[in-house]
Amino acid sequence: MPWFIPRGVSHPLTEEQVKGMLKKYDKNRDGKLSKEELRLAFKEMGLHFCGWKAGKALRFADINGDGFINEDEMSEFVKYASKWGFRIS
């Protein structure tokens, strides 16, 4: 069973749709997602172990090592998050 089943979504999501969903969690509007912003996003999306997953996602997708996921790193993050059940077309 996937770790993430999108609520109310019965069709595959495009990578751009997933990026758009995540951008709304950039609470301070700095163009980057912090671990805490990712944790809150995952929690609202219904994922379990949100803090742990946010940390794993950062370690995977944070290519420049600044502790955030920026626009350039978002595609890597989406690839990683797709392992949890995001259906990306």
Side-chain angles (χ1 to χ4, degrees):
M1 177 177 223
W3 288 61
F4 174 68
I5 300 171
R7 296 178 185 163
V9 176
S10 61
H11 56 82
L13 299 172
T14 67
E15 185 172 329
E16 290 305 311
Q17 286 172 316
V18 174
K19 286 180 183 180
M21 287 170 45
L22 291 168
K23 285 181 183 179
K24 79 176 193 175
Y25 294 99
D26 180 11
K27 299 298 182 188
N28 61 358
R29 304 209 186 276
D30 63 356
K32 304 181 283 186
L33 293 171
S34 67
K35 181 179 178 182
E36 180 61 16
E37 289 168 331
L38 286 172
R39 187 189 70 75
L40 292 172
F42 293 165
K43 182 177 180 180
E44 193 169 305
M45 291 177 190
L47 291 171
H48 300 285
F49 311 108
C50 301
W52 179 79
K53 286 184 178 182
K56 295 274 291 182
L58 273 173
R59 284 188 291 281
F60 180 84
D62 182 18
I63 297 165
N64 66 8
D66 67 352
F68 298 91
I69 295 176
N70 62 36
E71 182 70 32
D72 295 334
E73 298 163 331
M74 191 65 73
S75 291
E76 286 301 310
F77 170 75
V78 170
K79 279 189 238 176
Y80 184 74
S82 69
K83 296 176 185 180
W84 303 327
F86 284 113
R87 291 176 41 207
I88 301 170
S89 61

